[in-house]
Amino acid sequence: MQFIESALALIVTLGILVTIHEYGHFWVARRCGVKVLRFSVGFGKPMFSRYDRHGTEFAVAAIPLGGYVKMLDEREGPVPDDQLDQAFTRKSPGKRIAIAAAGPAANFLFAIFAYWLLSVVGVTTVAPVVGDVKPGSVAERMGLSPGMEIISVDGEPAANWRDIGASLLERAGEYGQVRMTVREDGRTSEHSADLQGWRLDQDEPNPIDLFGIAPYRPDVPAVLGQVMEGGRAQAAGLKAGDHIEAVNGTPVEDWFALVKKIQASPEKTLTLTLTRDGQERQVDVTPARHETEDGQVIGLVGAGVKPVDWPDDMMRNTRYGVLAAIPHAVGETWGDTRLTLIAIKKMVTGLLSLNNLSGPITIARVAEQSVSSGFEDFIQFLAYLSVSLGVLNLLPVPVLDGGHIIFYSLEAIRRKPLSEQVQAAGVRIGMAMILTLMVFALYNDLMRL
């Protein structure tokens, strides 16, 4: 079931972003007088198609991992004399550059729209309050302590943990000073520390965690919120509202401690001491054996936690007017663009592991999680992924839009196109680079399963 949900989330996510990207190419091509033969979402044999009055075929193909816009092009076959003026190859370098750049531009515009929509509707985030500081970390050297709310990093406002993570990612590998402004008990103060070459060299880096900060989380008591039908918890007589005090006589601090004990005891009987309706009682339960996706064997009883409300003073509600949301949305899109470029730079320079490259499997899992998390998370995920798609397509690599833009720009400067041999060699090199990255990303995906 989870595989199906992840697959559907991937199809929906890629379908939206690919359609937006290819529509950018399509829209500008039409306005530049180029005849579009096919607009396809997906690769392979079309499952559905229709033609418009201009003779363009709009198709949905069987492999939903991309898409393309096929234009009338002399390089792909003979073009009738009466249609030569509509061929892509007959257009000026400027028009061809505009068509190539239109796809990434559409991705950026979509991100701006998505962030504008979120800004107008309103977004609720958790205040970036420090919960704990790891010994020996940069955060400890800086003098951070539990209860401090971070309000800026190096002078850049930080409204949430996402902003802080992006700012810290930018500083990875540096040796200078990092500064934070914090608020505690209504007073603000400045803190700084030398980074000393602080790096993000783990396979799955979390800048905030590696910096030494554990975000604040409310206490989650070991209280059952739900007991699943047919599970071991129900068979043992456990009920929603039961407060688990101890396991085998050992006190339980919170929900996470309870989960740890249960997962460590597959098919082993545990004696739970609990409180129900003000009375203490004991219940024996035997966690069922369950094998996770990574092959780990854990115990499950079929019970969920009672939701815990965050304190009101820990929540931040952000909402803008229709016009005021525009510059904010542009700023958020630019922030995502910078973050993507910085991540690429860190990978090239070795400050960020290539193991962070993600392929369709990881995208599917993140998409499924964001869909299940709600409207805000899914729209934000779409916006960030759209920006990443736009940036990556603008890289100066042949076969990508950025590579085509380089070719057409050189043609405009030289007043003649590059030789077919040079372009073919560039395409082969670009294709090899892209295929290598795709294989590496897919390998990373499989290793995360």
Side-chain angles (χ1 to χ4, degrees):
M1 178 60 75
Q2 184 177 5
F3 171 79
I4 295 175
E5 291 176 353
S6 296
L8 289 175
L10 174 65
I11 291 172
V12 171
T13 300
L14 291 184
I16 292 172
L17 297 181
V18 166
T19 300
I20 290 168
H21 181 91
E22 298 303 332
Y23 186 79
H25 292 308
F26 167 80
W27 191 84
V28 174
R30 277 272 181 91
R31 273 131 194 91
C32 289
V34 176
K35 182 178 179 61
V36 179
L37 302 177
R38 175 183 288 177
F39 183 117
S40 178
V41 177
F43 297 113
K45 184 178 180 180
M47 298 186 300
F48 164 82
S49 67
R50 71 172 184 84
Y51 291 84
D52 68 2
R53 60 188 180 86
H54 300 284
T56 301
E57 179 187 12
F58 292 85
V60 177
I63 305 175
L65 297 177
Y68 61 92
V69 170
K70 183 178 181 180
M71 290 172 270
L72 192 64
D73 194 318
E74 293 174 283
R75 296 168 298 183
E76 297 184 6
V79 175
D81 291 341
D82 61 339
Q83 295 183 14
L84 282 174
D85 62 326
Q86 300 180 62
F88 177 79
T89 43
R90 292 297 178 103
K91 299 303 177 181
S92 67
K95 288 185 176 181
R96 280 179 276 150
I97 290 173
I99 294 170
N107 287 123
F108 293 124
L109 289 174
F110 171 76
I112 292 173
F113 169 75
Y115 282 124
W116 174 85
L117 179 63
L118 289 176
S119 300
V120 172
V121 173
V123 177
T124 300
T125 57
V126 176
V129 174
V130 177
D132 198 8
V133 176
K134 295 182 179 180
S137 65
V138 182
E140 184 186 51
R141 296 201 307 269
M142 180 178 281
L144 299 184
S145 61
M148 290 181 172
E149 179 180 354
I150 302 171
I151 57 179
S152 73
V153 179
D154 291 330
E156 291 295 323
N160 48 54
W161 287 113
R162 178 173 173 267
D163 294 342
I164 295 171
S167 296
L168 293 179
L169 176 64
E170 185 173 353
R171 299 300 306 275
E174 297 183 8
Y175 286 84
Q177 292 273 318
V178 60
R179 297 177 293 106
M180 287 188 180
T181 303
V182 304
R183 180 166 48 228
E184 186 177 25
D185 298 327
R187 299 187 300 272
T188 60
S189 58
E190 297 284 340
H191 296 256
S192 63
D194 196 322
L195 287 169
Q196 300 179 2
W198 172 71
R199 294 173 62 89
L200 296 177
D201 54 2
Q202 295 187 6
D203 290 346
E204 294 186 21
N206 180 333
I208 296 169
D209 179 68
L210 293 176
F211 195 79
I213 300 174
Y216 167 83
R217 295 289 185 271
D219 293 332
V220 183
V223 178
L224 304 186
Q226 55 181 325
V227 176
M228 300 174 189
E229 194 76 26
R232 296 289 178 88
Q234 184 188 54
L238 293 173
K239 297 182 179 180
D242 287 347
H243 188 170
I244 312 301
E245 306 284 355
V247 177
N248 291 340
T250 302
V252 173
E253 296 179 0
D254 54 23
W255 175 261
F256 305 106
L258 173 64
V259 170
K260 185 176 180 180
K261 290 180 179 293
I262 290 175
Q263 289 185 343
S265 307
E267 299 302 338
K268 296 180 181 179
T269 301
L270 303 174
T271 299
L272 306 183
T273 302
L274 59 90
T275 301
R276 181 188 299 167
D277 299 329
Q279 296 183 347
E280 185 177 290
R281 63 184 69 192
Q282 291 187 334
V283 174
D284 290 337
V285 61
T286 304
R289 183 182 186 279
H290 174 76
E291 186 171 345
T292 63
E293 292 181 350
D294 59 3
Q296 183 181 3
V297 176
I298 62 173
L300 294 179
V301 297
V305 65
K306 181 179 180 180
V308 175
D309 293 330
W310 284 75
D312 291 339
D313 61 352
M314 291 293 297
M315 307 307 295
R316 299 291 181 269
N317 298 308
T318 306
R319 189 172 182 177
Y320 293 83
V322 173
L323 295 180
I326 297 175
H328 175 74
V330 172
E332 288 290 301
T333 301
W334 169 239
D336 285 350
T337 302
R338 288 185 68 250
L339 181 60
T340 303
L341 290 171
I342 290 169
I344 294 173
K345 176 185 175 182
K346 300 293 183 184
M347 287 186 184
V348 172
T349 57
L351 296 176
L352 190 62
S353 172
L354 287 175
N355 291 338
N356 291 283
L357 283 173
S358 298
I361 297 175
T362 297
I363 293 174
R365 296 175 70 176
V366 175
E368 189 271 330
Q369 292 171 4
S370 64
V371 169
S372 61
S373 297
F375 173 79
E376 291 180 9
D377 287 341
F378 182 59
I379 295 299
Q380 192 169 68
F381 173 69
L382 278 179
Y384 180 72
L385 203 58
S386 187
V387 169
S388 299
L389 183 62
V391 171
L392 293 176
N393 268 281
L394 284 176
L395 293 178
V397 177
V399 311
L400 295 180
D401 294 326
H404 294 311
I405 291 172
I406 294 295
F407 282 163
Y408 305 147
S409 298
L410 290 174
E411 179 182 341
I413 294 171
R414 300 172 72 245
R415 297 186 181 279
K416 63 178 181 178
L418 297 174
S419 68
E420 292 185 5
Q421 292 83 356
V422 171
Q423 294 191 49
V427 169
R428 285 195 295 271
I429 294 172
M431 186 65 72
M433 293 173 61
I434 296 301
L435 288 176
T436 300
L437 289 176
M438 289 176 63
V439 170
F440 197 83
L442 184 58
Y443 173 79
N444 288 342
D445 282 356
L446 295 174
M447 290 300 98
R448 295 186 185 113
L449 291 177

